[in-house]
Amino acid sequence: MRLAELSRTTGVPPATIKWYLREGLIRKGEATARNQAQYDESHVRRLRLIRALVDIGGLTTQEARDILAVVDDPNASIDQVVGAAHGALARVPDSDADPTTLAQVDHFLASRGWTVSTGSPARAELAGIVRAMTQLTPGDDHSDQALVAGLAPYANAIDQLAAAEVEELPHDVPRDVLVEQVVLGTVLAERLIGSLRRLAQESAFLARYVTPSDINR
Amino acid sequence: MRLAELSRTTGVPPATIKWYLREGLIRKGEATARNQAQYDESHVRRLRLIRALVDIGGLTTQEARDILAVVDDPNASIDQVVGAAHGALARVPDSDADPTTLAQVDHFLASRGWTVSTGSPARAELAGIVRAMTQLTPGDDHSDQALVAGLAPYANAIDQLAAAEVEELPHDVPRDVLVEQVVLGTVLAERLIGSLRRLAQESAFLARYVTPSDINR
DNA sequence: TCCTTACGGAGAGTAACACTATCCACTCGC
DNA sequence: GCGAGTGGATAGTGTTACTCTCCGTAAGGA
């Protein structure tokens, strides 16, 4: 398979594939001459993975490259792969989180029995979200208890989900397939959950207010 | 309050506030002279809302502006506000979704009893996600039943969540406060769920593989 | 009153990102 | 033998979200 065919089967323009090659997101094809190279199914798969990460997951190509580097490293452990994916998904606030909010978040995590490293991007992100929500939500009960109670519905749903997800992880599968599935399960499933939630919301709103106004973009 | 103070209390640079004014994301302050204007708490609040939508929600300023226009329109209904937020959150694929996947998605929605409009951005987004996952997941059972089964854990968790969220919506509150809460509940909660899920995942992985490797970005 | 500082408004400039277009020497396939 | 196509490199483009600079004016202290 040459570049043009690779482009045709994946729908990615040739110029973009060349650029991905330069950026190191995909491996070079096997050279058959000075200006000819052969690509195979692994390139097709990799290209699809990149597009999924970028188009659906919303990652930058830099972030995708960083994750793929870990995926490709045969010595990287599963939690390193997960860590790379988590790092790319978190929107960590620029400024240091305010310590009060961070303490509240830690209190919440402890109440859930969730143990995470202090450097966890998701922890910093959550602190930023909680801070913004606190500032923008009327009502003045900003106690640790109020936070734990407010997040309870979300945390309950997630606890339930996490159990189901862990069970689904295949275990009799080669490492490269597994890590790819882990990345997909981390990055794509986050968007999946979002769209499902919006679908459920839309349905609930349509049911509540009988007028079915066409909700278009 | 003048521009500099508005900048100081919100942490948004003066030049950026000026730009938001030009772009129509915030209303002008009340002019007290040719080159003096007064801003108030509503401007502070609006600025915080914009930053939350953009920094946390990941919306573009265009999308934030579109949502805010609906929020500000006193004749807009709640589902129009929700629709605007959903439109901004969905990553709808450029090309038309392939009809087979769309049919599968509709079958899944029907199996859940979720009724949504055919123009729903979330429906198109879900089709794109399902398509990408199907292409990238080993195993060849791409039947409608397999999809319903595969999405079941997610849909179950979300059904549980949606019920709790609807209950939490305040109802004895002025319209402008309510619509703002709906926007926050739609946009910020999506990121909230993501970060909670990653936290739960990280905790689960730390627990499973005893070695607590520091997961940094 | 003068004078320094700050103000708002407008336009141009900038940095990052993700491509996209052009050019080139080469080579495959008819 | 020759034209379309190939891989590789470099430069250019469009978008986004600011950021800088300038200007005439105004506020507030000396």
PDB file of all heavy atoms in Angstrom, chain A residues 96-124:
ATOM      1  N   ASP A  96      -2.038  28.226  40.253  1.00  0.00           N
ATOM      2  CA  ASP A  96      -2.159  27.203  41.284  1.00  0.00           C
ATOM      3  C   ASP A  96      -3.544  27.283  41.905  1.00  0.00           C
ATOM      4  O   ASP A  96      -4.074  28.370  42.120  1.00  0.00           O
ATOM      5  CB  ASP A  96      -1.084  27.432  42.358  1.00  0.00           C
ATOM      6  CG  ASP A  96       0.287  27.014  41.849  1.00  0.00           C
ATOM      7  OD1 ASP A  96       0.360  26.435  40.744  1.00  0.00           O
ATOM      8  OD2 ASP A  96       1.279  27.283  42.546  1.00  0.00           O
ATOM      9  N   ALA A  97      -4.114  26.135  42.148  1.00  0.00           N
ATOM     10  CA  ALA A  97      -5.452  26.083  42.734  1.00  0.00           C
ATOM     11  C   ALA A  97      -5.420  26.690  44.126  1.00  0.00           C
ATOM     12  O   ALA A  97      -4.399  26.631  44.814  1.00  0.00           O
ATOM     13  CB  ALA A  97      -5.924  24.646  42.790  1.00  0.00           C
ATOM     14  N   ASP A  98      -6.540  27.263  44.520  1.00  0.00           N
ATOM     15  CA  ASP A  98      -6.537  27.853  45.854  1.00  0.00           C
ATOM     16  C   ASP A  98      -6.601  26.724  46.875  1.00  0.00           C
ATOM     17  O   ASP A  98      -7.314  25.740  46.698  1.00  0.00           O
ATOM     18  CB  ASP A  98      -7.663  28.902  45.955  1.00  0.00           C
ATOM     19  CG  ASP A  98      -8.795  28.505  46.841  1.00  0.00           C
ATOM     20  OD1 ASP A  98      -8.723  28.808  48.030  1.00  0.00           O
ATOM     21  OD2 ASP A  98      -9.739  27.888  46.313  1.00  0.00           O
ATOM     22  N   PRO A  99      -5.793  26.831  47.938  1.00  0.00           N
ATOM     23  CA  PRO A  99      -5.587  25.714  48.872  1.00  0.00           C
ATOM     24  C   PRO A  99      -6.875  25.275  49.568  1.00  0.00           C
ATOM     25  O   PRO A  99      -7.042  24.081  49.851  1.00  0.00           O
ATOM     26  CB  PRO A  99      -4.603  26.292  49.906  1.00  0.00           C
ATOM     27  CG  PRO A  99      -4.037  27.527  49.287  1.00  0.00           C
ATOM     28  CD  PRO A  99      -5.033  28.024  48.320  1.00  0.00           C
ATOM     29  N   THR A 100      -7.776  26.205  49.804  1.00  0.00           N
ATOM     30  CA  THR A 100      -9.033  25.858  50.458  1.00  0.00           C
ATOM     31  C   THR A 100      -9.825  24.868  49.609  1.00  0.00           C
ATOM     32  O   THR A 100     -10.304  23.831  50.094  1.00  0.00           O
ATOM     33  CB  THR A 100      -9.889  27.120  50.672  1.00  0.00           C
ATOM     34  OG1 THR A 100      -9.068  28.167  51.168  1.00  0.00           O
ATOM     35  CG2 THR A 100     -11.026  26.851  51.632  1.00  0.00           C
ATOM     36  N   THR A 101      -9.948  25.186  48.334  1.00  0.00           N
ATOM     37  CA  THR A 101     -10.677  24.305  47.430  1.00  0.00           C
ATOM     38  C   THR A 101      -9.992  22.949  47.342  1.00  0.00           C
ATOM     39  O   THR A 101     -10.650  21.904  47.348  1.00  0.00           O
ATOM     40  CB  THR A 101     -10.751  24.923  46.019  1.00  0.00           C
ATOM     41  OG1 THR A 101     -11.150  26.284  46.134  1.00  0.00           O
ATOM     42  CG2 THR A 101     -11.732  24.173  45.154  1.00  0.00           C
ATOM     43  N   LEU A 102      -8.673  22.987  47.269  1.00  0.00           N
ATOM     44  CA  LEU A 102      -7.915  21.748  47.171  1.00  0.00           C
ATOM     45  C   LEU A 102      -8.150  20.874  48.405  1.00  0.00           C
ATOM     46  O   LEU A 102      -8.313  19.653  48.300  1.00  0.00           O
ATOM     47  CB  LEU A 102      -6.421  22.082  47.024  1.00  0.00           C
ATOM     48  CG  LEU A 102      -5.596  21.210  46.089  1.00  0.00           C
ATOM     49  CD1 LEU A 102      -6.336  20.875  44.813  1.00  0.00           C
ATOM     50  CD2 LEU A 102      -4.285  21.909  45.758  1.00  0.00           C
ATOM     51  N   ALA A 103      -8.200  21.513  49.571  1.00  0.00           N
ATOM     52  CA  ALA A 103      -8.449  20.770  50.807  1.00  0.00           C
ATOM     53  C   ALA A 103      -9.845  20.147  50.772  1.00  0.00           C
ATOM     54  O   ALA A 103     -10.046  18.991  51.177  1.00  0.00           O
ATOM     55  CB  ALA A 103      -8.314  21.698  52.012  1.00  0.00           C
ATOM     56  N   GLN A 104     -10.810  20.905  50.237  1.00  0.00           N
ATOM     57  CA  GLN A 104     -12.180  20.378  50.119  1.00  0.00           C
ATOM     58  C   GLN A 104     -12.223  19.177  49.196  1.00  0.00           C
ATOM     59  O   GLN A 104     -12.890  18.174  49.472  1.00  0.00           O
ATOM     60  CB  GLN A 104     -13.092  21.467  49.560  1.00  0.00           C
ATOM     61  CG  GLN A 104     -13.530  22.509  50.563  1.00  0.00           C
ATOM     62  CD  GLN A 104     -14.668  23.326  50.000  1.00  0.00           C
ATOM     63  OE1 GLN A 104     -14.527  23.945  48.943  1.00  0.00           O
ATOM     64  NE2 GLN A 104     -15.804  23.324  50.670  1.00  0.00           N
ATOM     65  N   VAL A 105     -11.499  19.306  48.086  1.00  0.00           N
ATOM     66  CA  VAL A 105     -11.448  18.210  47.124  1.00  0.00           C
ATOM     67  C   VAL A 105     -10.828  16.967  47.773  1.00  0.00           C
ATOM     68  O   VAL A 105     -11.333  15.848  47.604  1.00  0.00           O
ATOM     69  CB  VAL A 105     -10.659  18.630  45.864  1.00  0.00           C
ATOM     70  CG1 VAL A 105     -10.279  17.430  45.023  1.00  0.00           C
ATOM     71  CG2 VAL A 105     -11.480  19.609  45.030  1.00  0.00           C
ATOM     72  N   ASP A 106      -9.772  17.176  48.526  1.00  0.00           N
ATOM     73  CA  ASP A 106      -9.130  16.038  49.183  1.00  0.00           C
ATOM     74  C   ASP A 106     -10.063  15.400  50.202  1.00  0.00           C
ATOM     75  O   ASP A 106     -10.087  14.168  50.356  1.00  0.00           O
ATOM     76  CB  ASP A 106      -7.820  16.483  49.847  1.00  0.00           C
ATOM     77  CG  ASP A 106      -6.725  16.727  48.817  1.00  0.00           C
ATOM     78  OD1 ASP A 106      -6.805  16.123  47.723  1.00  0.00           O
ATOM     79  OD2 ASP A 106      -5.802  17.513  49.087  1.00  0.00           O
ATOM     80  N   HIS A 107     -10.820  16.249  50.874  1.00  0.00           N
ATOM     81  CA  HIS A 107     -11.799  15.726  51.836  1.00  0.00           C
ATOM     82  C   HIS A 107     -12.844  14.874  51.110  1.00  0.00           C
ATOM     83  O   HIS A 107     -13.206  13.784  51.562  1.00  0.00           O
ATOM     84  CB  HIS A 107     -12.482  16.888  52.566  1.00  0.00           C
ATOM     85  CG  HIS A 107     -13.533  16.442  53.538  1.00  0.00           C
ATOM     86  ND1 HIS A 107     -14.880  16.469  53.239  1.00  0.00           N
ATOM     87  CD2 HIS A 107     -13.439  15.934  54.780  1.00  0.00           C
ATOM     88  CE1 HIS A 107     -15.562  15.998  54.269  1.00  0.00           C
ATOM     89  NE2 HIS A 107     -14.718  15.669  55.221  1.00  0.00           N
ATOM     90  N   PHE A 108     -13.297  15.369  49.977  1.00  0.00           N
ATOM     91  CA  PHE A 108     -14.253  14.613  49.165  1.00  0.00           C
ATOM     92  C   PHE A 108     -13.663  13.280  48.725  1.00  0.00           C
ATOM     93  O   PHE A 108     -14.305  12.218  48.841  1.00  0.00           O
ATOM     94  CB  PHE A 108     -14.675  15.443  47.950  1.00  0.00           C
ATOM     95  CG  PHE A 108     -15.282  14.621  46.851  1.00  0.00           C
ATOM     96  CD1 PHE A 108     -16.578  14.140  46.945  1.00  0.00           C
ATOM     97  CD2 PHE A 108     -14.542  14.320  45.705  1.00  0.00           C
ATOM     98  CE1 PHE A 108     -17.133  13.367  45.935  1.00  0.00           C
ATOM     99  CE2 PHE A 108     -15.087  13.546  44.698  1.00  0.00           C
ATOM    100  CZ  PHE A 108     -16.385  13.061  44.816  1.00  0.00           C
ATOM    101  N   LEU A 109     -12.413  13.324  48.225  1.00  0.00           N
ATOM    102  CA  LEU A 109     -11.766  12.093  47.755  1.00  0.00           C
ATOM    103  C   LEU A 109     -11.656  11.078  48.894  1.00  0.00           C
ATOM    104  O   LEU A 109     -11.926   9.885  48.711  1.00  0.00           O
ATOM    105  CB  LEU A 109     -10.377  12.411  47.196  1.00  0.00           C
ATOM    106  CG  LEU A 109     -10.361  13.215  45.890  1.00  0.00           C
ATOM    107  CD1 LEU A 109      -8.927  13.610  45.517  1.00  0.00           C
ATOM    108  CD2 LEU A 109     -10.991  12.428  44.744  1.00  0.00           C
ATOM    109  N   ALA A 110     -11.282  11.577  50.062  1.00  0.00           N
ATOM    110  CA  ALA A 110     -11.155  10.688  51.214  1.00  0.00           C
ATOM    111  C   ALA A 110     -12.508  10.076  51.571  1.00  0.00           C
ATOM    112  O   ALA A 110     -12.608   8.881  51.873  1.00  0.00           O
ATOM    113  CB  ALA A 110     -10.583  11.464  52.399  1.00  0.00           C
ATOM    114  N   SER A 111     -13.566  10.897  51.495  1.00  0.00           N
ATOM    115  CA  SER A 111     -14.903  10.401  51.855  1.00  0.00           C
ATOM    116  C   SER A 111     -15.347   9.306  50.891  1.00  0.00           C
ATOM    117  O   SER A 111     -16.198   8.475  51.221  1.00  0.00           O
ATOM    118  CB  SER A 111     -15.910  11.549  51.837  1.00  0.00           C
ATOM    119  OG  SER A 111     -16.347  11.797  50.506  1.00  0.00           O
ATOM    120  N   ARG A 112     -14.777   9.324  49.702  1.00  0.00           N
ATOM    121  CA  ARG A 112     -15.121   8.320  48.689  1.00  0.00           C
ATOM    122  C   ARG A 112     -14.199   7.101  48.752  1.00  0.00           C
ATOM    123  O   ARG A 112     -14.425   6.108  48.060  1.00  0.00           O
ATOM    124  CB  ARG A 112     -14.998   8.947  47.294  1.00  0.00           C
ATOM    125  CG  ARG A 112     -16.202   9.756  46.907  1.00  0.00           C
ATOM    126  CD  ARG A 112     -17.269   8.806  46.423  1.00  0.00           C
ATOM    127  NE  ARG A 112     -18.594   9.302  46.741  1.00  0.00           N
ATOM    128  CZ  ARG A 112     -19.710   8.617  46.502  1.00  0.00           C
ATOM    129  NH1 ARG A 112     -19.661   7.435  45.939  1.00  0.00           N
ATOM    130  NH2 ARG A 112     -20.873   9.106  46.842  1.00  0.00           N
ATOM    131  N   GLY A 113     -13.122   7.260  49.480  1.00  0.00           N
ATOM    132  CA  GLY A 113     -12.134   6.205  49.502  1.00  0.00           C
ATOM    133  C   GLY A 113     -11.310   6.134  48.231  1.00  0.00           C
ATOM    134  O   GLY A 113     -10.733   5.099  47.894  1.00  0.00           O
ATOM    135  N   TRP A 114     -11.262   7.264  47.509  1.00  0.00           N
ATOM    136  CA  TRP A 114     -10.443   7.290  46.297  1.00  0.00           C
ATOM    137  C   TRP A 114      -9.057   7.808  46.655  1.00  0.00           C
ATOM    138  O   TRP A 114      -8.910   8.909  47.188  1.00  0.00           O
ATOM    139  CB  TRP A 114     -11.061   8.222  45.246  1.00  0.00           C
ATOM    140  CG  TRP A 114     -12.346   7.727  44.673  1.00  0.00           C
ATOM    141  CD1 TRP A 114     -12.924   6.509  44.859  1.00  0.00           C
ATOM    142  CD2 TRP A 114     -13.243   8.460  43.823  1.00  0.00           C
ATOM    143  NE1 TRP A 114     -14.116   6.428  44.178  1.00  0.00           N
ATOM    144  CE2 TRP A 114     -14.343   7.607  43.528  1.00  0.00           C
ATOM    145  CE3 TRP A 114     -13.236   9.744  43.269  1.00  0.00           C
ATOM    146  CZ2 TRP A 114     -15.411   8.002  42.730  1.00  0.00           C
ATOM    147  CZ3 TRP A 114     -14.295  10.138  42.467  1.00  0.00           C
ATOM    148  CH2 TRP A 114     -15.366   9.277  42.191  1.00  0.00           C
ATOM    149  N   THR A 115      -8.051   7.023  46.344  1.00  0.00           N
ATOM    150  CA  THR A 115      -6.680   7.425  46.645  1.00  0.00           C
ATOM    151  C   THR A 115      -5.983   7.803  45.350  1.00  0.00           C
ATOM    152  O   THR A 115      -5.883   6.977  44.442  1.00  0.00           O
ATOM    153  CB  THR A 115      -5.909   6.254  47.290  1.00  0.00           C
ATOM    154  OG1 THR A 115      -6.742   5.680  48.290  1.00  0.00           O
ATOM    155  CG2 THR A 115      -4.616   6.739  47.898  1.00  0.00           C
ATOM    156  N   VAL A 116      -5.525   9.017  45.267  1.00  0.00           N
ATOM    157  CA  VAL A 116      -4.803   9.443  44.067  1.00  0.00           C
ATOM    158  C   VAL A 116      -3.549  10.185  44.477  1.00  0.00           C
ATOM    159  O   VAL A 116      -3.432  10.670  45.606  1.00  0.00           O
ATOM    160  CB  VAL A 116      -5.672  10.358  43.174  1.00  0.00           C
ATOM    161  CG1 VAL A 116      -6.943   9.651  42.755  1.00  0.00           C
ATOM    162  CG2 VAL A 116      -5.986  11.667  43.867  1.00  0.00           C
ATOM    163  N   SER A 117      -2.601  10.261  43.545  1.00  0.00           N
ATOM    164  CA  SER A 117      -1.359  10.975  43.835  1.00  0.00           C
ATOM    165  C   SER A 117      -1.644  12.471  43.890  1.00  0.00           C
ATOM    166  O   SER A 117      -2.568  12.968  43.244  1.00  0.00           O
ATOM    167  CB  SER A 117      -0.319  10.679  42.755  1.00  0.00           C
ATOM    168  OG  SER A 117      -0.448  11.567  41.680  1.00  0.00           O
ATOM    169  N   THR A 118      -0.836  13.194  44.641  1.00  0.00           N
ATOM    170  CA  THR A 118      -1.062  14.645  44.755  1.00  0.00           C
ATOM    171  C   THR A 118      -0.764  15.368  43.446  1.00  0.00           C
ATOM    172  O   THR A 118      -1.224  16.473  43.219  1.00  0.00           O
ATOM    173  CB  THR A 118      -0.166  15.250  45.853  1.00  0.00           C
ATOM    174  OG1 THR A 118       1.177  14.833  45.609  1.00  0.00           O
ATOM    175  CG2 THR A 118      -0.603  14.782  47.231  1.00  0.00           C
ATOM    176  N   GLY A 119       0.012  14.718  42.577  1.00  0.00           N
ATOM    177  CA  GLY A 119       0.313  15.335  41.292  1.00  0.00           C
ATOM    178  C   GLY A 119      -0.727  15.034  40.225  1.00  0.00           C
ATOM    179  O   GLY A 119      -0.556  15.417  39.072  1.00  0.00           O
ATOM    180  N   SER A 120      -1.767  14.359  40.611  1.00  0.00           N
ATOM    181  CA  SER A 120      -2.782  13.953  39.638  1.00  0.00           C
ATOM    182  C   SER A 120      -3.422  15.139  38.908  1.00  0.00           C
ATOM    183  O   SER A 120      -3.943  16.051  39.547  1.00  0.00           O
ATOM    184  CB  SER A 120      -3.873  13.166  40.366  1.00  0.00           C
ATOM    185  OG  SER A 120      -5.033  13.105  39.577  1.00  0.00           O
ATOM    186  N   PRO A 121      -3.368  15.152  37.572  1.00  0.00           N
ATOM    187  CA  PRO A 121      -3.971  16.256  36.824  1.00  0.00           C
ATOM    188  C   PRO A 121      -5.473  16.354  37.089  1.00  0.00           C
ATOM    189  O   PRO A 121      -6.019  17.450  37.147  1.00  0.00           O
ATOM    190  CB  PRO A 121      -3.719  15.892  35.362  1.00  0.00           C
ATOM    191  CG  PRO A 121      -2.738  14.788  35.358  1.00  0.00           C
ATOM    192  CD  PRO A 121      -2.783  14.137  36.686  1.00  0.00           C
ATOM    193  N   ALA A 122      -6.117  15.205  37.244  1.00  0.00           N
ATOM    194  CA  ALA A 122      -7.573  15.218  37.460  1.00  0.00           C
ATOM    195  C   ALA A 122      -7.920  15.884  38.786  1.00  0.00           C
ATOM    196  O   ALA A 122      -8.947  16.553  38.900  1.00  0.00           O
ATOM    197  CB  ALA A 122      -8.121  13.796  37.418  1.00  0.00           C
ATOM    198  N   ARG A 123      -7.052  15.737  39.771  1.00  0.00           N
ATOM    199  CA  ARG A 123      -7.300  16.359  41.069  1.00  0.00           C
ATOM    200  C   ARG A 123      -7.256  17.887  40.937  1.00  0.00           C
ATOM    201  O   ARG A 123      -8.127  18.594  41.432  1.00  0.00           O
ATOM    202  CB  ARG A 123      -6.258  15.868  42.080  1.00  0.00           C
ATOM    203  CG  ARG A 123      -6.286  16.572  43.423  1.00  0.00           C
ATOM    204  CD  ARG A 123      -5.346  15.878  44.404  1.00  0.00           C
ATOM    205  NE  ARG A 123      -5.127  16.659  45.610  1.00  0.00           N
ATOM    206  CZ  ARG A 123      -4.112  17.518  45.779  1.00  0.00           C
ATOM    207  NH1 ARG A 123      -3.243  17.703  44.804  1.00  0.00           N
ATOM    208  NH2 ARG A 123      -3.979  18.178  46.917  1.00  0.00           N
ATOM    209  N   ALA A 124      -6.241  18.379  40.237  1.00  0.00           N
ATOM    210  CA  ALA A 124      -6.126  19.825  40.023  1.00  0.00           C
ATOM    211  C   ALA A 124      -7.294  20.332  39.189  1.00  0.00           C
ATOM    212  O   ALA A 124      -7.862  21.399  39.454  1.00  0.00           O
ATOM    213  CB  ALA A 124      -4.803  20.134  39.326  1.00  0.00           C
TER     214      ALA A 124
END
